[in-house]
Amino acid sequence: MTTQARATAAQPTQGAFERSRDHLFHQFQEIPFDPKTGRSPRELEQDIEAYLQAHPDVPRVLQKAHVFHLVVTRGQIYVDPLDWFVGKLNHGGHVKRPLYGDEDSLVRRLSLRWLDEALDGVLAAEATWLDRAYRLGQASGPRGGLDRGHVAPGWYTLLSGGLVGLLTQVAEARDALGPAATAEQLAFYEAVEIVYRATLQLAARFAQQAETLARAYPEHARRLQTIVLACRNVPAHRPRTFHEALQFMWLLHELIEMEGEHVRSMGQFDRTLYPYYRADIDSGRLTRDQAKELIKFFWFKFYSRTRGHENGKNFVFGGQYPDGSEITNELTYLGLEAYEELNTPDPKLSVRFLPTTSDTLYRRVADLIRKGHNAVVLMNDVPAVEALVKRGKTWEDARLYLPIGCYEPAVEGKEVGCTMNLTVNLAKGVELALHDGRDPLSGEQIGPHTGDPRGFTAFEQLWQAYTEQMDFFLERAHECIRTAEGQWPQINPSPLLAGSLDDCLRRGKDVGQGGAHYNSVGFVGAALANASDALLALKQVVYDDERFTLDEVLTAVAANFEGHERMRQYLINRVPKWGNHHPEADRLAKRIADYYCHKVHTFTNGRGGPCQAALFSLDFAWQGGRRTGALPDGRRAYEPLAPGLGATYGRDRKGVTALMGSVTQLDSTLTPNGAVLDVTLHPTAVSGEDGLAAMVALIKAFFAQGGYALQFNIYDVATLRDAQRYPENYATLQIRVTGWSVYFTTLSPYEQDQFIARISHGL
Amino acid sequence: MAYNPEDNALAETEAPGTPRSPEGWVFDVKRFAVHDGPGVRTTVFLKGCSLRCVWCHNPESINPHPELLFHPTRCIACGACLEVCPHGAHRMTTKGARTYDRNLCVLCGRCAASCYAEALVMAGQRLSVEDVMTVVRQDATFYTVSGGGVTLSGGEPLFQGAFATALLRQCNAEGFHTALDTCGHVRWAIMERALPYVDLVLYDLKHISPPRHQQYTGVSNRLILENLRRLSRSSVPIEIRMPIIPTINDSRETIDAAARFLASLSHIIAVRLLAYHRLAGSKYHSLGRENTLPDVTPPSGRQMQRIAGWIRQHGLPVIVPETIDTS
């Protein structure tokens, strides 16, 4: 940029965001695409069909790339004169469907078509098996077992050399292979070139449109000129300014999602963006407040699209560089300030803590959360990094982990994690073990015959049956997933994403072909508390104390405890439960966790990489709960399963330190894919200076004892009841549902009651 | 009950355990106590108190011996208590609700043991020092990280003076910070015996006026104020705790008189105001006792700040509980 251009680059004025907030809130509602700027989605659809018809035998990665090119170079665009960022392309995905969010873009629809084809064809057997498993509550997961929804692009890689830099790498990689390059590899390289060049064309189109608008809206000319200059530089080249860096990320985010993978992590905010921020501040181009305005314009895009109805876009703060030095800097605190002022549940933040992290950051984050900005996950770098190293990452790489989605780490720029490939119901194995492999709710024989448990004379036999049921399920599920992965290149080729990840270009392989440096599949273990509480109840009442026979318990369970309330109360109140720091309960839960993690870690995925275990539940707590029958710990059929790593609702009765005491018995280095504890506290516990210090102490002590990650809900029931009665007074009250937060007043009355019931147990 | 009026405490000959291994009646050991002294603490609640404050929030703490609580919402009407009670104290009404005649009850605890739904619960357990320490040790990391420790409270912890002292001594020995939350109404020698093991005293001051104190707590405050003077001549830091009950002890006159008295003492590190609340009503009900909680509105934040201001004018630091602004 010339000195003159630098001098004229505009910056937002103080309060600019607030003034535009209402307008920006509607930015994704009925976008006024100008027909003069290109072809409508209907017309593009025709173009796409025509292309596909004419090129049926072209490798799919190239078909995808061409379709991408069609949409991106020909589709209508819109530049909003009030916005600091551009990116609105009419790709067919902006139509709202009331319950399901956006329509899929034309490009993504192609992948979905290919997915349907595979599910009906080559993956039919696996899809059927997995569907039944999902239906019966053994697990949940993506259709067909292929996780197309949990990646972090290589933001750092993208920004450092721009797309022109990556195009150079494509050429170099192809040359390096020389005549040994296969047709597949060449097709891949060509596809990457096509999509990257198309992207550059799109940027040029935005620049041109912005220039046109600058003439039409002289009062916005300075901002529009800044956008023009930005789009002429990014994403082609490395950004020259903080604004350009954000613009780069926004555009690529839109395009990668359009291409067909959900972008779940926006990277390490205070690492990726820091050099640009620093340079702007030091040169006087930007003030701290102006930077904050830009962050708000940028972040608000996520919320204005989802309105809090999706899981939130994850931005990471804190953490460390590959050499172990701490990242936390001015941008960390600026980001947290922007987040607080924005007061939306989307984006959501993850903050990584090291043993050397200053008290200032702990206090800042704790204070944010106790004031209600609770879309924050706090992560403990020590076990998180070590867990990844145990699964084959180098220390330097592991330090670059990003939580993908809600909680699950992947190495930035080098890993395709498929982190939510399967969520496994650990409690279902208990049901199956008690019924010789038959699922009691549906009556279907879905597990192996492990014997009539009435014949067992010792707890160890029941344990044996449990692990056999779980082994059988996990092994089958793993096979299905491997098979699905094999079809990935045919279903969802992703050249745009692939170019940003090591080592796809070097190897000439797409993400679906295992081109990335690390390729993982995540197996999430849910309902640990339920499995453990149920097994311990049987151990104690049937085998240790002989208080009831197994037959008596099974009869009660079959009746959903109707007519057996006294026994149910005994099972609930007289048997120790997970989450109370009771040695025997903790030992058994740890035994289950160890078993599960070790089992998962014996698997290799379809792309040759490791499978990684996690322990949490997200919304499977409810989904899976509805498909799990009554359990011997007193839980009735269809009730929710335990949230995250914690106790079953209402069973943790010794307070938060006891809950943490239990959870820190688990080996966090066995959960490379994440493990999160939900903590519910009453506001009085964290009020005042005492309360803030107590909250910080909880976090520090939890981490010092090896805990992996935490999130908080801080409420009293009275406030929530009041919010039900007078929602207009509580429009911005956020609650932490599970891996994401929502505005309480947007929930249905039923959901609100459920949440209140859930948290009043913890108080 | 073996109350020793000279000690204003439990007669030491009646205390459970032995002089070498004293035991005590404890009604709760609460982990993650945040407002009972600095840092994250575990608070041990001892049973027994020589005061009868009308606003008491822990009525189950007054009697040193275990007693029976009944929580009607938990009752599943299984009838087990009827079956096991040797004295027929439990009855079922024609409508299927359970009734209980305390006059027939000998507090044997059999009904509580058989009540799986935990509608009938014995408040108070006999514990040894080691029993308590087993729980205390579990949160050691939290104490270290937060500068916390153990607080003895109740009831009046010194009501079971020997047991309280043994607990404090053991906490000391294991390196845990100790706080003693006391009303001061015991023979000085009992307090003095415990003091070497106390790092912080939380001292309750309910009313500065002797006749008002008698009216609302059943005892004069003479011994309490005397003990406070003696305490302030030792070196242990003291945090004064003043419950603020509107119309009873919140007048300017009362507060000023209390503050004047406190300002004359050394080692008072702070005065903490505690706002009255009426949420403990159900506890009285569970105990089958008359609810003596005054029917007054809890003080507002502004009232509390005003009172704090009056006290600060005497040169004393004041801590007022905050509420979180979530707007």
Side-chain angles (χ1 to χ4, degrees):
Chain A
M1 198 197 254
T2 63
T3 323
Q4 184 187 28
R6 274 204 183 103
T8 58
Q11 302 297 357
T13 54
Q14 189 99 14
F17 172 75
E18 279 308 314
R19 287 192 293 278
S20 309
R21 188 176 181 136
D22 280 342
H23 169 78
L24 292 169
F25 185 61
H26 299 288
Q27 65 181 294
F28 291 104
Q29 312 290 309
E30 292 173 25
I31 304 169
F33 289 109
D34 183 351
K36 290 198 294 295
T37 60
R39 290 169 76 66
S40 71
R42 176 64 52 86
E43 291 169 329
L44 288 172
E45 218 174 330
Q46 290 165 0
D47 295 348
I48 289 168
E49 285 315 307
Y51 166 79
L52 291 172
Q53 302 253 350
H55 300 87
D57 300 321
V58 163
R60 289 213 169 151
V61 68
L62 277 172
Q63 288 186 335
K64 187 86 173 289
H66 277 291
V67 170
F68 181 96
H69 171 93
L70 275 172
V71 174
V72 161
T73 55
R74 295 186 193 176
Q76 293 160 355
I77 61 171
Y78 175 66
V79 171
D80 181 350
L82 291 176
D83 196 352
W84 279 91
F85 302 103
V86 294
K88 293 184 171 72
L89 168 71
N90 202 358
H91 50 55
H94 289 294
V95 176
K96 300 264 164 267
R97 293 176 298 171
L99 293 176
Y100 302 104
D102 287 352
E103 276 268 5
D104 295 299
S105 74
L106 289 165
V107 185
R108 197 190 277 183
R109 277 186 237 172
L110 185 58
S111 294
L112 291 175
R113 187 195 307 185
W114 289 337
L115 176 64
D116 282 337
E117 203 182 278
L119 294 179
D120 288 335
V122 67
L123 291 179
E126 289 76 12
T128 306
W129 191 87
L130 282 171
D131 275 347
R132 186 187 69 173
Y134 299 160
R135 180 171 52 85
L136 297 181
Q138 286 181 288
S140 73
R143 290 171 65 208
L146 185 63
D147 187 356
R148 295 166 302 108
H150 289 85
V151 287
W155 294 113
Y156 201 76
T157 303
L158 282 167
L159 265 64
S160 46
L163 299 189
V164 166
L166 288 176
L167 284 167
T168 309
Q169 279 186 44
V170 169
E172 286 169 355
R174 190 171 38 216
D175 288 345
L177 285 174
T182 63
E184 248 186 346
Q185 287 171 309
L186 292 174
F188 171 69
Y189 286 132
E190 195 187 336
V192 174
E193 286 175 328
I194 291 171
V195 299
Y196 279 7
R197 289 190 182 124
T199 304
L200 296 181
Q201 274 189 264
L202 179 62
R205 293 178 67 202
F206 280 121
Q208 188 166 28
Q209 183 67 5
E211 199 157 47
T212 308
L213 280 184
R215 289 193 286 276
Y217 296 92
E219 69 275 31
H220 301 302
R222 285 199 69 217
R223 173 170 49 242
L224 289 164
Q225 271 307 320
T226 306
I227 288 172
V228 172
L229 291 171
C231 291
R232 294 214 170 116
N233 188 54
V234 297
H237 305 289
R238 184 192 160 90
R240 294 167 300 197
T241 65
F242 186 62
H243 170 255
E244 286 187 4
L246 291 173
Q247 172 62 70
F248 193 140
M249 290 183 76
W250 177 246
L251 187 61
L252 267 293
H253 168 270
E254 292 295 273
L255 294 176
I256 293 171
E257 292 232 320
M258 189 197 78
E259 186 189 49
E261 283 277 345
H262 288 285
V263 175
R264 292 313 181 95
S265 176
M266 293 301 288
Q268 182 86 43
F269 194 78
D270 45 6
R271 174 175 95 107
T272 311
L273 289 160
Y274 189 63
Y276 310 104
Y277 171 81
R278 187 81 262 145
D280 269 9
I281 297 278
D282 289 347
S283 68
R285 275 196 294 275
L286 189 69
T287 66
R288 193 179 179 277
D289 280 338
Q290 287 167 340
K292 195 165 55 165
E293 294 287 329
L294 285 173
I295 293 171
K296 290 180 181 178
F297 272 90
F298 175 64
W299 275 355
F300 200 63
K301 288 182 175 304
F302 299 102
Y303 176 67
S304 56
R305 172 181 276 143
T306 64
R307 305 294 180 86
H309 288 299
E310 277 176 36
N311 307 348
K313 199 69 60 172
N314 201 331
F315 285 81
V316 188
F317 290 81
Q320 48 190 314
Y321 290 102
D323 67 3
S325 60
E326 198 174 344
I327 291 177
T328 306
N329 55 44
E330 212 178 291
L331 194 55
T332 314
Y333 291 101
L334 185 63
L336 295 176
E337 205 176 295
Y339 172 69
E340 182 172 12
E341 290 173 14
L342 210 49
N343 199 17
T344 54
D346 189 354
K348 60 192 184 189
L349 308 188
S350 307
V351 187
R352 295 171 42 176
F353 290 88
L354 304 176
T356 49
T357 298
S358 72
D359 256 24
T360 313
L361 188 61
Y362 279 103
R363 289 171 62 92
R364 182 71 179 105
V365 174
D367 194 43
L368 261 183
I369 293 170
R370 72 175 181 163
K371 282 151 112 164
H373 309 282
N374 53 31
V376 182
V377 175
L378 297 89
M379 300 191 68
N380 187 2
D381 259 26
V382 171
V385 169
E386 197 182 330
L388 293 169
V389 170
K390 276 184 163 176
R391 295 278 83 221
K393 322 294 197 252
T394 65
W395 285 96
E396 291 75 20
D397 287 344
R399 290 180 187 124
L400 291 175
Y401 81 85
L402 297 173
I404 308 292
C406 304
Y407 311 133
E408 325 85 78
V411 175
E412 174 166 8
K414 293 183 166 188
E415 182 168 6
V416 177
C418 297
T419 56
M420 292 295 296
N421 224 122
L422 195 71
T423 301
V424 178
N425 187 350
L426 293 171
K428 187 56 87 168
V430 177
E431 284 196 285
L432 296 177
L434 289 175
H435 296 89
D436 192 30
R438 187 176 50 83
D439 170 48
L441 280 185
S442 64
E444 296 185 39
Q445 183 73 32
I446 56 176
H449 288 282
T450 45
D452 182 345
R454 291 175 183 82
F456 296 162
T457 50
F459 175 73
E460 280 309 303
Q461 290 175 278
L462 184 59
W463 171 260
Q464 197 52 42
Y466 173 72
T467 54
E468 226 178 289
Q469 292 294 340
M470 294 303 298
D471 279 348
F472 179 83
F473 173 73
L474 289 169
E475 286 163 15
R476 282 286 179 295
H478 171 235
E479 282 309 312
C480 288
I481 291 168
R482 279 177 62 103
T483 309
E485 286 179 85
Q487 294 302 311
W488 190 338
Q490 296 306 307
I491 293 172
N492 196 25
S494 304
L496 185 68
L497 171 66
S500 74
L501 296 171
D502 294 356
D503 302 310
C504 293
L505 293 184
R506 191 174 59 78
R507 291 179 180 165
K509 287 182 163 188
D510 195 358
V511 295
Q513 295 168 308
H517 189 73
Y518 298 115
N519 296 281
S520 314
V521 162
F523 276 63
V524 178
L528 175 65
N530 308 92
S532 184
D533 288 349
L535 286 173
L536 187 64
L538 292 170
K539 176 177 190 294
Q540 184 179 303
V541 312
V542 173
Y543 301 104
D544 292 347
D545 300 347
E546 295 181 359
R547 182 79 185 68
F548 301 107
T549 64
L550 187 63
D551 196 54
E552 285 170 332
V553 178
L554 288 178
T555 306
V557 160
N560 200 15
F561 295 106
E562 296 294 318
H564 294 89
E565 186 58 20
R566 187 144 188 265
M567 181 201 283
R568 193 177 88 92
Q569 291 294 330
Y570 187 93
L571 295 170
I572 292 172
N573 292 321
R574 295 295 162 92
V575 180
K577 297 287 177 288
W578 168 248
N580 293 285
H581 210 179
H582 186 281
E584 205 186 347
D586 291 356
R587 253 198 312 274
L588 184 54
K590 181 171 160 60
R591 192 178 181 192
I592 298 171
D594 286 350
Y595 152 73
Y596 173 75
C597 296
H598 283 120
K599 181 67 184 174
V600 167
H601 293 166
T602 60
F603 297 149
T604 303
N605 68 48
R607 287 161 289 137
C611 291
Q612 305 196 136
L615 288 171
F616 53 82
S617 51
L618 291 178
D619 53 356
F620 188 75
W622 300 286
Q623 282 176 43
R626 284 194 284 276
R627 297 170 171 85
T628 305
L631 289 173
D633 67 339
R635 174 189 153 280
R636 289 202 190 90
Y638 317 117
E639 281 179 358
L641 298 169
L645 261 188
T648 310
Y649 296 121
R651 304 283 191 261
D652 47 336
R653 301 205 182 146
K654 304 279 180 148
V656 63
T657 60
L659 178 60
M660 288 181 171
S662 282
V663 170
T664 52
Q665 301 298 312
L666 303 177
D667 183 352
S668 293
T669 66
L670 290 180
T671 51
N673 201 38
V676 185
L677 176 62
D678 287 10
V679 173
T680 303
L681 294 173
H682 195 276
T684 53
V686 296
S687 67
E689 175 54 37
D690 290 351
L692 184 62
M695 203 172 156
V696 169
L698 277 182
I699 300 164
K700 285 186 170 178
F702 182 70
F703 287 169
Q705 291 173 96
Y708 191 102
L710 277 176
Q711 59 188 22
F712 289 90
N713 260 314
I714 298 184
Y715 295 107
D716 61 57
V717 174
T719 301
L720 295 178
R721 288 282 178 220
D722 204 46
Q724 283 185 309
R725 276 193 292 275
Y726 307 108
E728 63 277 13
N729 296 339
Y730 292 89
T732 56
L733 175 66
Q734 291 181 41
I735 55 163
R736 189 119 186 99
V737 177
T738 170
W740 56 87
S741 296
V742 295
Y743 287 134
F744 183 71
T745 53
T746 63
L747 298 177
S748 71
Y750 171 73
E751 288 168 325
Q752 289 175 347
D753 284 341
Q754 283 287 304
F755 183 75
I756 290 172
R758 188 180 128 190
I759 66 148
S760 54
H761 287 304
L763 301 176
Chain B
M1 182 185 55
Y3 173 69
N4 182 336
E6 283 168 20
D7 288 346
N8 282 312
L10 183 71
E12 304 224 335
T13 50
E14 300 297 322
T18 64
R20 294 200 122 233
S21 306
E23 293 176 354
W25 288 292
V26 174
F27 70 91
D28 197 6
V29 179
K30 181 175 179 247
R31 293 164 69 171
F32 192 62
V34 170
H35 300 301
D36 291 340
V40 171
R41 310 185 74 79
T42 295
T43 302
V44 186
F45 291 89
L46 271 60
K47 233 171 169 299
C49 189
S50 55
L51 267 57
R52 298 287 178 274
C53 308
V54 296
W55 52 74
C56 182
H57 291 146
N58 294 321
E60 74 276 30
S61 71
I62 299 171
N63 182 338
H65 296 120
E67 28 189 348
L68 191 63
L69 296 175
F70 175 55
H71 304 293
T73 51
R74 294 187 195 167
C75 177
I76 58 172
C78 68
C81 50
L82 268 71
E83 286 165 30
V84 306
C85 179
H87 302 280
H90 297 284
R91 294 271 156 79
M92 205 67 105
T93 66
T94 45
K95 278 186 262 172
R98 185 202 141 276
T99 62
Y100 169 60
D101 186 343
R102 284 187 190 267
N103 295 321
L104 295 173
C105 177
V106 300
L107 293 172
C108 69
R110 266 177 234 171
C111 58
S114 77
C115 181
Y116 301 153
E118 306 210 326
L120 288 165
V121 176
M122 291 300 281
Q125 262 193 300
R126 185 171 144 170
L127 296 179
S128 67
V129 169
E130 183 56 24
D131 289 335
V132 174
M133 294 308 294
T134 305
V135 180
V136 162
R137 287 177 198 124
Q138 292 187 312
D139 281 351
T141 310
F142 295 92
Y143 310 148
T144 311
V145 159
S146 66
V150 185
T151 299
L152 289 205
S153 182
E156 167 52 53
L158 294 174
F159 194 88
Q160 299 182 58
F163 181 59
T165 302
L167 269 178
L168 291 165
R169 190 167 55 229
Q170 189 59 31
C171 285
N172 238 212
E174 296 191 26
F176 298 124
H177 181 277
T178 55
L180 178 69
D181 186 0
T182 179
C183 70
H185 189 67
V186 284
R187 186 154 63 88
W188 171 247
I190 294 177
M191 189 177 288
E192 198 181 18
R193 181 180 54 177
L195 268 192
Y197 312 110
V198 177
D199 294 310
L200 171 68
V201 171
L202 308 172
Y203 204 93
D204 298 338
L205 188 57
K206 323 239 185 202
H207 211 302
I208 196 68
S209 146
R212 292 277 151 268
H213 196 279
Q214 177 91 37
Q215 180 187 355
Y216 293 115
T217 72
V219 306
S220 157
N221 62 9
R222 191 190 48 78
L223 177 59
I224 291 170
L225 298 180
E226 229 172 77
N227 280 344
L228 183 54
R229 280 194 202 91
R230 289 193 188 110
L231 203 55
S232 77
R233 289 196 282 266
S234 76
S235 59
V236 68
I238 304 166
E239 177 185 289
I240 300 292
R241 301 194 144 202
M242 288 176 57
I244 303 296
I245 302 111
T247 73
I248 290 178
N249 64 3
D250 69 334
S251 74
R252 181 83 198 243
E253 209 190 310
T254 303
I255 299 292
D256 267 345
R260 256 195 312 276
F261 171 69
L262 295 173
S264 72
L265 304 173
S266 340
H267 300 117
I268 308 289
I269 58 169
V271 176
R272 183 184 293 263
L273 302 184
L274 306 174
Y276 173 67
H277 66 75
R278 280 176 300 179
L279 300 177
S282 59
K283 286 200 193 181
Y284 285 87
H285 192 68
S286 305
L287 275 172
R289 278 198 198 213
E290 186 206 335
N291 183 349
T292 55
L293 294 172
D295 187 15
V296 296
T297 313
S300 68
R302 203 135 35 102
Q303 280 173 283
M304 297 289 277
Q305 289 297 347
R306 198 168 54 228
I307 292 169
W310 296 337
I311 301 173
R312 285 190 189 110
Q313 282 175 27
H314 294 266
L316 292 158
V318 183
I319 302 168
V320 182
E322 274 175 45
T323 47
I324 299 174
D325 178 16
T326 52
S327 59

